[in-house]
């Protein structure tokens, strides 16, 4: 495997934002997740839960609700605006002011022709969904108090609206309230406290299910307006409900961090007289559960603790399989760390700023596992705050450390950095007009060019020098895909550029001729990282389903090593990992070594060694050294695993062959969260 001097970096204070709401699209198997900072993330549940798109947030954009209508995504928030998102250019497409104050909820009818929003001023506003925009239609009858929650009846004829102390049923055509359901207040000392109906569900048989701030889940008969059943599930709030597609199951998220399932089943053997029964309680969160989605096979939840949890329902999936495993998605599926290999610099990307750090130095040598004395401590050179309200969506640092670039949805900024004994940073004032808004940035290895992915998967090539920043060319493919490029990679010799988009396409461009060279055969899983080997000029790609491919750019075909790997198959322990590979680097001292990492381990693949058997064990290298020699020889295969470092944000190899490992322990993130409303005590 080789021995490296390791820079163990723990000063990247990455702090994910709380999950506010989510919406699941059963047609496309996409989950949209909105965070407290206004960012929206799209996860593909058909592709190993890969986070394929991120729409950056904006100051003041407090998203309270999300809604899918076919392939279109809408949100509403406390700024009083409805937003439709451009999922190709990863930005808001347009905003519409509802003129009702803050919006608490948004919901579409089953036909996808109308949107209803609940406003602070007590109105439910109906908007028609047109081909390109939405258009205001009418207000339903206004009532005193804000509208907190909404749900359409599947027939689209009625709307149930939750508010303070009551639920109202509106006729969607006339706008009149036809029923008023009074919600009981809590017992005891809090009897005088108002009860907020945080969430409602409206079923085909006119059953209404509500969750409120008194900790109750209540079942109502919407035709007669009578209460059928009350379940007191928590001493705190029931914040959110989600109903399964077949309406046989409902889940409720609480302030205690629990998710409770109710099922419409018979309590007797003869299967007659079905009723709603509390069946399961899931405890996967430490804080409020404010967002839920009920898929056909799983419960998806998120909240204040920032983690997205996918809990399979074991009566819907085969047990003891990968599909039945619990998943916790705590880190982004993209790299937020840039590394200047020649200069020993690290760039950390935050939504509101960039930090540039110079790595420290050690002295002496030691055995594997030893801590070397620090000669010079790491130093923060620059903290660069973004301009404007839009959050940073991508950034790049040149290999020499002399150039830094970042982009928001509205602008690109480029800086020249000079570092001797003191640091100086100068903004490049005149950028080509083509560099308006981009999805990814990448510098060439000699720092003479900047590549920026733009709309319709095109790439803008810009020459950078001390004198000027000059537009050179726009690279375009021929497939017609309009999906955004999420991966960019340039070869060390400056000849090749590889791009990958969320249509699973990988394009190779010849930078000497400034034209498309070839396209890698499309594989049905999205690439999570790509890299071009500095010696062989072969492209290594790893995909969301954990498959690995090697493609020869010169021969325009998969290499023999890649064909042998696919013929034999990857070992099951590799394929069952639940976090994607997010970065690839190479060892120039040993061209056979490929270094890649996910959240929980980094791996060195030695292409000169045989592949492991399908049922082989992936030993941690420190554990392997403790085994007898005979057993160690039997475990000699291409995949060398190291789990000595946890929650990895980046693993990269510097020019001096020292390894940079950027960690962000999950416990550090949890320690910065506010205290939960209920803390577990001994014997309670």
């Amino acid at each position: 495997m080789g021995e490296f001097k390791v820079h163990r970096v723990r000063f990247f204070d990455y702090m994910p934002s709380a999950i506010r709401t989510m919406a699941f699209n059963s047609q496309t198997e996409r989950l949209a997740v909105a965070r407290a900072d206004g960012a929206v993330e799209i996860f593909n549940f058909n592709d190993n839960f890969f986070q394929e798109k991120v729409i950056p947030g904006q100051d003041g954009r407090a998203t309270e609700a999300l809604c899918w209508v076919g392939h279109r995504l809408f949100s509403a928030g406390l700024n009083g605006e409805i937003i439709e998102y451009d999922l190709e250019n990863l930005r808001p497409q347009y905003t519409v002011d509802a003129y009702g104050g803050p919006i608490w909820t948004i919901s579409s009818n089953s036909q996808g022709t109308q949107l209803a929003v609940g406003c602070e001023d007590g109105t439910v506003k109906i908007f028609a969904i047109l081909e390109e925009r939405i258009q205001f239609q009418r207000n339903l009858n206004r009532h005193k108090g804000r509208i907190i929650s909404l749900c359409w009846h599947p027939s689209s004829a009625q709307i149930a609206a939750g508010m303070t102390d009551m639920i109202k049923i509106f006729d969607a055509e006339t706008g009149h309230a036809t029923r008023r359901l009074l919600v009981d207040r809590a017992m005891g000392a809090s009897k005088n406290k108002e009860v907020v109906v945080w969430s409602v569900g409206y079923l085909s048989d006119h059953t209404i299910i509500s969750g409120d701030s008194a900790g109750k889940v209540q079942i109502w008969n919407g035709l007669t307006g009578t209460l059928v059943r009350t379940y007191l599930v928590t001493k705190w709030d029931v914040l959110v409900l989600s109903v399964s597609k077949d309406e046989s199951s409902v889940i409720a998220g609480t302030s205690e961090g629990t998710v409770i399932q109710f099922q419409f089943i018979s309590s007797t053997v003869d299967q007659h007289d079905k009723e709603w029964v509390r069946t399961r309680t899931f405890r996967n969160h430490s804080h409020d559960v404010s967002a839920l989605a009920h898929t056909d096979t799983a419960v998806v939840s998120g909240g204040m603790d920032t983690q997205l949890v996918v809990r399979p329902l074991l009566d819907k999936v085969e047990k003891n399989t990968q599909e039945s495993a619990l998943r916790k998605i705590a880190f982004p599926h993209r790299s937020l760390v840039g590394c200047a290999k020649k200069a020993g610099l690290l760039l950390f990307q935050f939504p509101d700023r960039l930090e540039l750090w110079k790595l420290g130095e050690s002295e002496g040598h030691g055995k594997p596992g030893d801590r070397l004395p620090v000669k010079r401590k790491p130093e923060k050179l620059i903290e660069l705050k973004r301009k404007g309200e839009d959050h940073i969506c991508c950034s790049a640092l040149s290999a020499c450390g002399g150039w830094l670039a970042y982009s928001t949805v509205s602008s690109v900024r480029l800086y020249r950095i000079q570092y001797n004994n003191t640091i100086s940073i100068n903004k490049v004032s005149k950028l080509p007009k083509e560099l308006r808004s981009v999805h990814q940035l990448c510098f060439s290895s000699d720092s003479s060019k900047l590549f920026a992915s733009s709309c319709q998967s095109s790439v803008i090539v810009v020459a950078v020098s001390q004198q000027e920043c000059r537009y050179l060319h726009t690279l375009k493919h021929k497939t017609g895909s309009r999906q955004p490029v999420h991966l960019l990679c340039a070869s060390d010799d400056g000849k090749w550029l590889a791009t990958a988009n969320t249509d699973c396409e990988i394009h190779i461009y010849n930078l000497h001729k400034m034209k498309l060279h070839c396209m890698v055969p499309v594989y049905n899983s999205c690439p999570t990282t790509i890299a071009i080997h500095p010696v062989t000029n072969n492209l290594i790609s790893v995909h969301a389903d954990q498959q690995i491919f090697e493609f020869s750019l010169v021969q325009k075909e998969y290499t023999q090593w890649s064909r042998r790997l696919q013929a034999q198959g990857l070992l099951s322990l590799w394929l069952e990992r639940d976090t994607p590979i997010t970065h690839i680097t190479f060892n120039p001292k040993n061209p056979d070594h490929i270094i890649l990492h996910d959240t929980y381990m980094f791996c060195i693949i030695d292409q000169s060694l045989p592949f492991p058997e399908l049922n082989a064990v992936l030993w941690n290298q420190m554990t392997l050294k403790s085994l007898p020699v005979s057993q160690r020889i039997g475990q000699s295969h291409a995949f060398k695993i190291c789990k000595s470092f946890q929650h990895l944000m980046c693993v990269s190899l510097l020019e001096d062959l020292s390894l940079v490992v950027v960690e962000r322990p999950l416990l550090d993130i949890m320690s910065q969260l506010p205290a939960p409303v209920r803390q577990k005590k001994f014997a309670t």
Side-chain angles (χ1 to χ4, degrees):
M1 181 175 180
E3 293 181 357
F4 301 95
K5 184 185 287 186
V6 177
H7 296 271
R8 193 170 189 176
V9 174
R10 286 195 171 188
F11 44 80
F12 180 23
D13 294 327
Y14 166 74
M15 188 64 197
S17 189
I19 294 174
R20 286 292 306 125
T21 184
M22 64 176 67
F24 183 70
N25 188 333
S26 59
Q27 298 174 3
T28 62
E29 290 288 313
R30 299 299 198 278
L31 179 78
V33 174
R35 295 193 179 263
D37 63 357
V40 175
E41 302 164 1
I42 311 293
F43 292 85
N44 186 348
F45 275 38
N46 273 338
D47 198 9
N48 210 13
F49 306 97
F50 178 57
Q51 185 192 63
E52 62 181 13
K53 295 177 182 178
V54 177
I55 300 170
Q58 185 186 66
D59 291 349
R61 187 193 296 160
T63 304
E64 282 293 314
L66 288 170
C67 179
W68 287 100
V69 180
H71 292 268
R72 299 165 71 178
L73 180 64
F74 296 88
S75 77
L78 300 183
N79 58 1
E81 294 178 340
I82 303 169
I83 300 173
E84 181 175 2
Y85 292 97
D86 183 343
L87 298 181
E88 293 175 355
N89 294 311
L90 305 184
R91 56 163 63 199
Q93 187 165 318
Y94 62 85
T95 61
V96 173
D97 197 318
Y99 294 105
I103 302 173
W104 290 93
T105 180
I106 185 170
S107 179
S108 73
N109 63 357
S110 57
Q111 290 85 4
T113 57
Q114 291 178 312
L115 279 177
V117 297
C119 300
E120 179 79 12
D121 67 354
T123 58
V124 176
K125 297 176 182 288
I126 307 295
F127 290 80
I129 302 173
L130 308 179
E131 191 172 336
E132 297 292 333
R133 296 184 66 83
I134 60 171
Q135 182 175 304
F136 175 74
Q137 272 191 332
R138 64 183 180 278
N139 289 331
L140 305 189
N141 284 9
R142 184 173 176 176
H143 292 266
K144 186 178 180 181
R146 62 173 70 104
I147 307 294
I148 297 294
S149 52
L150 279 178
C151 189
W152 289 78
H153 186 266
S155 68
S156 302
Q158 294 93 23
I159 297 174
M163 50 193 78
T164 303
D165 288 335
M166 72 180 75
I167 302 165
K168 287 194 175 180
I169 302 175
F170 292 91
D171 185 301
E173 190 64 36
T174 65
H176 299 312
T178 58
R179 293 280 178 196
R180 188 177 70 161
L181 316 180
L182 297 178
V183 179
D184 291 337
R185 295 190 175 186
M187 301 298 290
S190 57
K191 193 172 181 180
N192 296 325
K193 188 178 178 182
E194 292 180 334
V195 173
V196 178
V197 180
W198 288 117
S199 188
V200 292
Y202 206 167
L203 309 187
S204 301
D205 63 356
H206 291 273
T207 296
I208 293 175
I209 303 175
S210 65
D212 59 45
S213 60
K216 304 189 303 294
V217 173
Q218 294 187 306
I219 316 294
W220 305 81
N221 185 325
L223 294 175
T224 61
T226 55
L227 178 64
V228 177
R229 188 78 183 266
T230 296
Y231 292 94
L232 183 63
V233 297
T234 175
K235 295 179 182 177
W236 307 95
D237 294 42
V238 176
L239 296 172
V240 61
L241 298 173
S242 182
V243 183
S244 64
K245 193 175 179 181
D246 62 2
E247 299 184 350
S248 66
S249 174
V250 173
I251 50 176
T254 73
S255 293
E256 293 181 279
T258 56
V259 176
I260 295 128
Q261 184 183 17
F262 299 85
Q263 290 177 278
F264 192 56
I265 55 178
S266 175
S267 56
T268 59
V269 179
D270 55 11
Q271 298 294 310
H272 293 302
D273 300 326
K274 287 187 175 182
E275 60 180 344
W276 286 99
V277 178
R278 177 176 175 173
T279 54
R280 295 187 184 101
T281 299
F282 306 117
R283 301 180 187 275
N284 299 311
H285 295 274
S286 60
H287 290 65
D288 300 10
V289 176
S290 56
L292 280 179
H294 198 321
T295 73
D296 291 339
T297 60
V299 171
V300 188
S301 56
M304 182 69 73
D305 66 4
T306 76
Q307 297 185 61
L308 183 69
V309 176
V310 182
R311 177 70 183 248
L313 296 169
L314 297 182
D315 56 338
K316 302 288 186 180
V317 297
E318 188 179 343
K319 293 181 180 178
N320 300 322
T321 62
Q322 186 180 1
E323 194 181 13
S324 66
L326 174 74
R327 283 175 180 262
K328 287 191 174 184
I329 302 172
F331 294 92
H333 292 172
R334 59 198 176 110
S335 181
L336 299 177
V337 180
C339 182
K341 298 180 180 181
K342 298 175 183 177
L345 301 177
L346 290 178
L347 179 68
F348 299 145
Q349 178 184 316
F350 298 87
D352 61 339
R353 70 188 189 280
L354 299 173
E355 289 183 2
L356 185 67
W357 287 75
K358 186 170 182 62
L359 290 166
E361 292 180 7
S362 62
E363 54 187 8
H365 301 279
K367 304 189 302 293
D370 285 354
R371 291 190 177 186
L372 300 180
V374 176
K375 181 180 175 182
R376 181 177 54 79
K377 289 185 177 182
E379 178 187 3
K380 186 198 283 190
L381 302 178
I382 295 170
E383 182 172 315
L384 183 64
K385 295 187 177 180
R386 61 164 165 78
K387 303 294 183 184
E389 296 181 334
D390 295 320
H391 292 182
I392 296 171
C393 62
C394 62
S395 58
L397 179 66
S398 64
C400 67
W403 295 95
L404 184 155
Y406 77 86
S407 176
T408 65
V409 296
S410 55
S411 65
V412 177
R413 293 178 183 268
L414 178 65
Y415 295 87
R416 177 80 171 117
I417 300 170
Q418 291 175 306
Y419 180 76
N420 293 316
N421 293 327
T422 58
I423 187 84
S424 67
I425 180 167
N426 298 297
K427 181 188 169 189
V428 178
S429 56
K430 291 186 178 179
L431 295 180
K433 65 179 186 300
E434 289 81 5
L435 278 179
R436 288 189 299 272
S437 171
V438 300
H439 307 130
Q440 285 296 320
L441 291 164
C442 171
F443 285 96
S444 61
S445 61
D446 63 357
S447 306
S448 65
K449 295 184 182 70
L450 174 65
F451 308 106
S453 65
S454 187
C455 58
Q456 299 180 21
S457 295
S458 62
V459 179
I460 298 164
V461 185
V462 174
V464 292
S465 65
Q466 293 190 13
Q467 290 77 31
E468 61 177 348
C469 178
R470 180 168 48 89
Y471 167 76
L472 294 178
H473 194 72
T474 299
L475 301 169
K476 296 181 179 179
H477 60 78
K478 299 176 182 178
T479 63
S481 172
R482 301 179 62 87
Q483 292 302 311
V485 167
H486 66 291
L487 297 172
L488 270 179
C489 172
S491 64
D492 277 11
D493 62 6
K495 185 177 181 180
W496 308 106
L497 178 74
T499 70
N501 63 26
T502 51
D503 265 341
C504 305
E505 298 175 351
I506 300 177
H507 295 98
I508 311 298
Y509 297 94
N510 187 320
L511 296 175
H512 291 175
K513 298 179 180 179
M514 285 294 178
K515 69 176 187 178
L516 181 68
H517 174 67
C518 67
M519 179 178 166
V520 178
V522 176
Y523 180 62
N524 62 4
S525 180
C526 194
T528 62
T529 184
I530 56 175
I532 298 173
H533 199 291
V535 177
T536 63
N537 269 344
N538 292 336
L539 176 81
I540 306 292
S541 64
V542 187
H543 297 254
D545 64 356
Q546 311 295 358
Q547 292 291 340
I548 304 170
F549 296 93
E550 184 181 44
F551 185 82
S552 171
L553 304 188
V554 177
Q555 302 295 328
K556 298 184 183 180
E557 63 181 12
Y558 288 120
T559 64
Q560 287 301 316
W561 182 86
S562 184
R563 293 174 192 273
R564 282 190 286 110
L565 179 62
Q566 292 303 312
Q568 178 173 327
L570 281 159
L571 67 165
S572 57
L573 284 177
W574 178 270
L575 297 176
E576 289 168 4
R577 291 168 24 259
D578 61 0
T579 57
I581 299 294
T582 53
H583 188 253
I584 301 172
T585 189
F586 301 96
N587 186 352
K589 193 176 179 181
N590 193 333
D592 288 330
H593 286 184
I594 304 168
I595 304 171
L596 33 78
H597 79 89
D598 64 12
T599 303
Y600 297 102
M601 64 90 205
F602 76 85
C603 174
I604 297 181
I605 299 177
D606 191 335
Q607 293 184 297
S608 65
L609 292 178
F611 300 126
E613 298 295 327
L614 296 182
N615 58 353
V617 176
L618 286 173
W619 292 93
N620 189 13
Q621 291 304 296
M622 297 300 285
T623 307
L624 196 59
K625 284 188 174 184
S626 65
L627 295 177
V629 177
S630 58
Q631 196 173 347
R632 204 184 313 164
I633 292 172
Q635 294 293 332
S636 180
H637 55 68
F639 286 69
K640 312 294 184 182
I641 302 293
C642 177
K643 295 184 178 179
S644 302
F645 313 98
Q646 285 293 296
H647 303 119
L648 300 172
M649 301 294 285
C650 179
V651 176
S652 192
L653 199 63
L654 300 181
E655 200 174 53
D656 64 0
L657 301 183
S658 60
L659 201 65
V660 177
V661 177
V662 181
E663 297 175 280
R664 182 57 170 158
L666 195 56
L667 284 175
D668 290 358
I669 293 175
M670 300 300 288
S671 67
Q672 294 184 34
L673 295 174
V677 295
R678 178 182 182 273
Q679 293 178 322
K680 177 74 174 173
K681 295 181 180 178
F682 178 72
T684 62

